[in-house]
Amino acid sequence: TDYVSGVEECEVMFASPSGKHLPNAKETAANGIPTRDFRMEARLSIPFGAEPGSYRIHRAECTDGSGNYAILRSADFEMFKFDSAFRVHNARA
């Protein structure tokens, strides 16, 4: 994305430990106005009975106010040492 037009929207997809499930979170700039100071804070719902274990960012897609987009994969986050995982603790019945 280009710095001048600002970030308009980001979607982050996570991969379950088996890679079979890809829960996602999506955030749009406040009031739909692209901003250069974009911080994503979105709620991610993991259903009851979901696969336990470590979920990692699979892919992140961001678009800017000019329609450009960037796709980041898990290796990109690892390269920058970005903490890109969370753990689901679940005792399936």
Side-chain angles (χ1 to χ4, degrees):
T1 65
D2 78 56
Y3 180 74
V4 176
S5 64
V7 176
E8 183 171 17
E9 180 178 272
C10 280
E11 181 174 16
V12 180
M13 284 130 289
F14 295 87
S16 67
S18 69
K20 293 180 182 178
H21 305 284
L22 297 172
N24 68 338
K26 190 174 191 177
E27 182 69 18
T28 303
N31 301 318
I33 300 169
T35 178
R36 290 184 284 184
D37 186 25
F38 188 88
R39 291 184 177 100
M40 183 174 181
E41 184 176 317
R43 183 166 292 191
L44 178 67
S45 295
I46 303 295
F48 180 78
E51 179 182 355
S54 183
Y55 285 64
R56 298 198 164 278
I57 290 179
H58 172 69
R59 183 175 75 231
E61 299 178 7
C62 296
T63 57
D64 67 15
S66 296
N68 300 308
Y69 67 93
I71 298 174
L72 300 169
R73 306 223 180 260
S74 58
D76 298 317
F77 290 96
E78 291 169 11
M79 180 174 67
F80 292 108
K81 299 188 184 337
F82 182 81
D83 186 10
S84 60
F86 65 91
R87 188 155 189 79
V88 171
H89 300 277
N90 182 7
R92 291 187 185 180

